[in-house]
Amino acid sequence: YPAIGERRLFDLISAAGGLSDKAGRNVTIEHRGGEKVELQLSSNLAEDTKNNVDVFPGDTIIVSRAGIVYVVGDVQHPSGFMIEDSSFTVLKALALAGGSTRTSSLSKTKILRQTPNGIQEIPVNLKKVLYAKAPDLALVKGDVLFVPGSAAKAAAYRTGEAAMSLSTALAVVAVRP
């Protein structure tokens, strides 16, 4: 977009139609001479006056893409969620996924993180995190939060449901003349 006269960063972001849903908060401004300015925008641009810097003719503005964190396993709504900043935690991801199910094995939750040495498994005792007995870990883009199911809990619930059905059936038979 052409920048005629004095322009500031937010003016040019506005001229481009604003930030998209997939936009991250890291912005790089490359000046003509090769100098780069890196900025971390807040989620509320109206209050972020310090990052509304001058932009000069010939500058290139690069807005990063937001990262995605995936929540899979025994949760209500497994999905991928966009993260904007470093304050995206395990509990926030779980809340966006609708919470765990009644058969989740919360103490065996893991974060799967891609590192230069391969995939790293980070154990998370989600039961302790939910009761504030363990720290709520930060997630980074590309992380997968895996909440496994518990076979024992699933079997117990199926047994309980079968017992309830059987007792209801017996009660109906006992009432008949």
Side-chain angles (χ1 to χ4, degrees):
Y1 296 88
I4 301 168
E6 266 190 47
R7 293 296 214 146
R8 298 185 71 77
L9 176 62
F10 296 170
D11 296 333
L12 292 170
I13 289 174
S14 179
L19 297 172
S20 73
D21 292 340
K22 296 178 182 175
R25 296 295 171 196
N26 294 325
V27 175
T28 303
I29 301 172
E30 294 179 357
H31 296 297
R32 259 196 241 188
E35 178 189 350
K36 291 183 181 181
V37 176
E38 307 246 345
L39 303 169
Q40 175 73 34
L41 301 179
S42 74
S43 56
N44 185 357
L45 294 182
E47 296 176 0
D48 191 7
T49 56
K50 70 179 170 100
N51 286 319
N52 194 13
V53 298
D54 289 324
V55 178
F56 304 101
D59 287 355
T60 302
I61 301 168
I62 303 165
V63 179
S64 68
R65 287 187 182 201
I68 296 179
V69 167
Y70 301 93
V71 182
V72 296
D74 210 4
V75 294
Q76 298 293 332
H77 307 288
S79 188
F81 302 101
M82 285 201 245
I83 61 172
E84 296 179 356
D85 54 34
S86 61
S87 67
F88 197 82
T89 64
V90 169
L91 286 182
K92 286 181 182 180
L94 183 64
L96 288 172
S100 60
T101 66
R102 64 185 185 173
T103 58
S104 298
S105 181
L106 298 177
S107 61
K108 295 180 181 173
T109 301
K110 298 176 190 172
I111 298 171
L112 305 174
R113 181 171 292 162
Q114 184 66 45
T115 66
N117 301 329
I119 295 178
Q120 175 187 11
E121 287 188 15
I122 303 166
V124 178
N125 188 332
L126 199 48
K127 190 171 188 174
K128 286 185 176 181
V129 173
L130 285 167
Y131 289 103
K133 305 263 187 217
D136 187 12
L137 301 175
L139 297 172
V140 299
K141 71 179 185 176
D143 278 356
V144 176
L145 179 64
F146 174 63
V147 182
S150 169
K153 283 183 184 178
Y157 281 114
R158 280 195 300 273
T159 302
E161 288 168 358
M164 183 65 75
S165 295
L166 182 60
S167 64
T168 303
L170 290 175
V172 168
V173 170
V175 172
R176 284 190 180 168

